[in-house]
Amino acid sequence: MRILFWFRKDLRLDDNTGLSEAVRDASGDVVPFYASEPAMLAREDMAATRVRFALDSLADLSDAIERSGSRLVLDHGDPVATVPAAARAAGTDAVYWNDEYEPALLARDAEVERALRQSGIRVRRFHDRLLVPPGIVTTMDGQPFVMYSPFRRACERLPIGAPMPAVTRLGAHELPQRSLASLERLGFVTHQEHWPGGTRAAHRRLRRFAGGTGATPGGGLAIYAAQRDQPAANATSGLSADLKFGTLSPRQVARNIRDAAAADARLVPSADKYVSELRWRDFYAHVMFHFPHCEYAPFRPRFSALEWEDDPRLIAAWRDGRTGYPIVDAGMRQLDLTGFMHNRVRMVVASFLTKTLLANWQHGERHFMRRLVDGDLASNNGGWQWAASTGTDPQPYFRIFNPVLQGEKFDATGAYVRQWLPALAKLPARWIHRPWEAPPSALADAGVTLGTTYPAPVVNLRERRERALAVFQAAADPRSNRDFGL
């Protein structure tokens, strides 16, 4: 028996469910296959930095496959055509793959499966991408969870699967060899920092965070629980892009984190908190799987009545990091330059756009997807709808993050702002999150001229808060329109 394994966002040989099953069923005679898709690359929200990360990861995967005695078969085109063509050319009896859960990808996979079965080729699909696949946990009445805490508790009653051994042998084949495309050849350019992709880079990041060879001294998991909300601290894992593209499995990450805590009880609070964050990733994937309308509309239909103001001038100021509110502008500069933004800052800038500027959350969601190296449809959508109070388990609409207070609480010394806004680098901590209140002498000593070297605030926070409360209260009124029970 010969099997074609279709790689997608599972670009690794270790702890890969579908690949391991294929190797077992075919006694190693597995042909590895990957095809880029023109429709995906042409999306208006496709970020060049994500394409580069995928190319890095494919190059790393290709090297690993060659060491296994095989070659990665590459193609480019609609998978309804490319996957059956590769299966026939390789003389395979079956095609295996790991499922994805986004609406468009589920529809794509159903078409590919139909085409394969019509050709007489068997299909087997596997759950691999999440700690808990969609449909495994439900409420007492059999419905999908729409609140995170009960979802997490239900998931915690299930064991996290043990990682599977790495595949070390794949099938030799004579299929034509196609070279991996370059970023430029695919029509992408980027000025953003290069975030290295691939399994080897992913495991280095995991070791730095969780401990072991190359661990970050005084940082990482050791300070995660206490300092994860401080953007200047070296407390987060940096593994979001690896989980997005499957250069690590969530099971591997959870096992490494828990092993570290088992070896050092002081790490238990951080380990528990980190695994609960992995479950947020699962939660948003479940939500999009069960409620696909949320990709394009508010999860809660009543909020379709929100009167967004969508001022192009204010949206542009937010996008370009020119709002005059340092924590917001620093976050947007970090995003623009690196393809990444600290999670606490993501919440702040999202609240600022949707609540303070009253711009539709979809503007922010799309901008993030155009910039993020870890841009994941379900997680990004879920986070933005949470911030805008239109989604599942939302923050109450009257909770509006004050960017000044958020900056002073989570970046008390101003280290994060100074890193990303050099124009404010010399401003004392007392004023760095509210430079418009600094005395002229402090501004002069720091070389800051409001409106010239750094913008004055584009809006008044108090006025905008009152406006946002009125707009959201009108939409939240149950008499305003139907909520379909959500």
Side-chain angles (χ1 to χ4, degrees):
M1 181 180 185
R2 170 172 270 200
I3 295 172
L4 185 84
F5 183 76
W6 181 18
F7 282 98
R8 293 105 72 77
K9 295 189 191 74
D10 49 3
L11 303 179
R12 63 186 188 278
L13 298 188
D14 51 329
D15 191 32
N16 186 318
T17 305
L19 180 63
S20 295
E21 291 292 318
V23 168
R24 187 193 66 180
D25 291 351
S27 300
D29 193 11
V30 175
V31 177
F33 173 75
Y34 179 89
S36 54
E37 301 176 40
M40 294 293 176
L41 293 173
R43 286 180 59 106
E44 60 89 22
D45 61 354
M46 180 57 68
T49 186
R50 283 201 303 284
V51 177
R52 181 172 57 188
F53 190 97
L55 291 173
D56 282 358
S57 301
L58 284 165
D60 184 76
L61 176 65
S62 181
D63 288 346
I65 288 172
E66 288 190 10
R67 293 193 297 272
S68 78
S70 186
R71 285 185 293 105
L72 178 62
V73 180
L74 294 167
D75 205 347
H76 179 72
D78 185 341
V80 176
T82 59
V83 177
R88 289 190 295 268
T92 57
D93 305 286
V95 177
Y96 287 19
W97 69 74
N98 293 315
D99 270 335
E100 298 183 52
Y101 306 111
E102 297 172 11
L105 302 184
L106 285 166
R108 174 201 67 186
D109 289 356
E111 287 188 53
V112 173
E113 182 170 358
R114 280 193 294 270
L116 287 165
R117 293 193 184 281
Q118 287 169 2
S119 298
I121 299 170
R122 294 194 302 111
V123 172
R124 285 194 68 193
R125 301 164 63 166
F126 300 88
H127 293 303
D128 178 78
R129 186 160 177 74
L130 306 172
L131 292 175
V132 178
I136 299 298
V137 293
T138 62
T139 64
M140 294 293 289
D141 56 357
Q143 297 302 308
F145 285 102
V146 296
M147 299 291 284
Y148 171 71
S149 293
F151 170 84
R152 174 181 54 77
R153 289 191 293 270
C155 290
E156 287 174 345
R157 289 193 285 269
L158 303 174
I160 294 176
M164 290 165 283
V167 167
T168 58
R169 183 169 66 91
L170 292 169
H173 60 82
E174 300 301 323
L175 272 68
Q177 187 162 8
R178 184 171 183 163
S179 61
L180 186 63
S182 66
L183 190 66
E184 293 74 20
R185 210 170 95 204
L186 291 172
F188 290 92
V189 294
T190 180
H191 65 273
Q192 289 179 299
E193 180 181 306
H194 188 179
W195 196 280
T199 295
R200 286 173 287 195
H203 279 281
R204 285 195 295 270
R205 284 188 280 268
L206 179 57
R207 287 193 299 270
R208 281 199 297 267
F209 178 68
T213 305
T216 303
L221 189 60
I223 62 172
Y224 183 78
Q227 299 184 43
R228 60 180 294 274
D229 275 326
Q230 298 175 24
N234 193 12
T236 55
S237 70
L239 296 174
S240 50
D242 300 303
L243 291 165
K244 153 76 177 178
F245 287 97
T247 51
L248 284 172
S249 79
R251 295 174 298 277
Q252 289 173 307
V253 176
R255 170 58 65 88
N256 275 265
I257 297 302
R258 288 183 164 176
D259 284 351
D264 184 348
R266 294 172 297 180
L267 299 179
V268 169
S270 286
D272 289 347
K273 182 61 180 173
Y274 190 87
V275 173
S276 77
E277 292 301 311
L278 289 178
R279 296 196 191 279
W280 270 106
R281 176 176 175 268
D282 278 21
F283 177 64
Y284 284 139
H286 284 229
V287 169
M288 185 155 284
F289 176 84
H290 290 293
F291 303 98
H293 76 275
C294 70
E295 180 178 357
Y296 300 107
F299 173 81
R300 298 175 183 273
R302 75 168 69 174
F303 286 109
S304 297
L306 272 168
E307 295 181 1
W308 301 111
E309 295 185 354
D310 287 346
D311 185 322
R313 178 184 64 87
L314 295 178
I315 293 172
W318 174 86
R319 182 190 64 229
D320 298 337
R322 296 183 290 102
T323 69
Y325 290 97
I327 193 72
V328 174
D329 295 342
M332 299 307 291
R333 300 285 176 85
Q334 182 187 23
L335 174 64
D336 183 62
L337 293 173
T338 71
F340 183 80
M341 188 191 297
H342 186 278
N343 186 62
R344 168 56 57 172
V345 185
R346 293 189 198 202
M347 292 190 284
V348 174
V349 304
S351 177
F352 190 84
L353 181 69
T354 59
K355 303 287 184 65
T356 303
L357 301 185
L358 278 173
N360 192 317
W361 57 271
Q362 292 172 313
H363 293 295
E365 181 199 37
R366 290 167 188 160
H367 181 73
F368 268 37
M369 288 299 285
R370 295 185 189 110
R371 293 289 189 276
L372 284 171
V373 68
D374 62 4
D376 176 85
L377 176 61
S379 293
N380 190 49
N381 178 282
W384 272 97
Q385 293 224 42
W386 177 88
S389 299
T390 63
T392 59
D393 206 13
Q395 65 168 334
Y397 72 83
F398 50 80
R399 185 185 181 200
I400 301 173
F401 283 11
N402 182 308
V404 177
L405 300 182
Q406 289 284 310
E408 291 176 340
K409 180 176 181 179
F410 296 109
D411 186 35
T413 67
Y416 178 77
V417 165
R418 290 189 179 86
Q419 180 179 0
W420 299 109
L421 299 178
L424 300 181
K426 296 180 180 179
L427 202 61
R430 180 181 178 183
W431 308 113
I432 199 159
H433 292 292
R434 49 179 83 222
W436 59 91
E437 293 183 5
S441 59
L443 293 173
D445 290 345
V448 176
T449 303
L450 292 180
T452 303
T453 61
Y454 184 71
V458 292
V459 292
N460 179 285
L461 293 179
R462 180 177 298 176
E463 293 174 359
R464 298 302 297 186
R465 175 179 172 80
E466 292 175 359
R467 172 64 180 152
L469 289 175
V471 168
F472 274 84
Q473 188 171 15
D477 186 336
R479 296 169 298 179
S480 63
N481 56 61
R482 295 177 299 165
D483 194 23
F484 298 100
L486 298 177

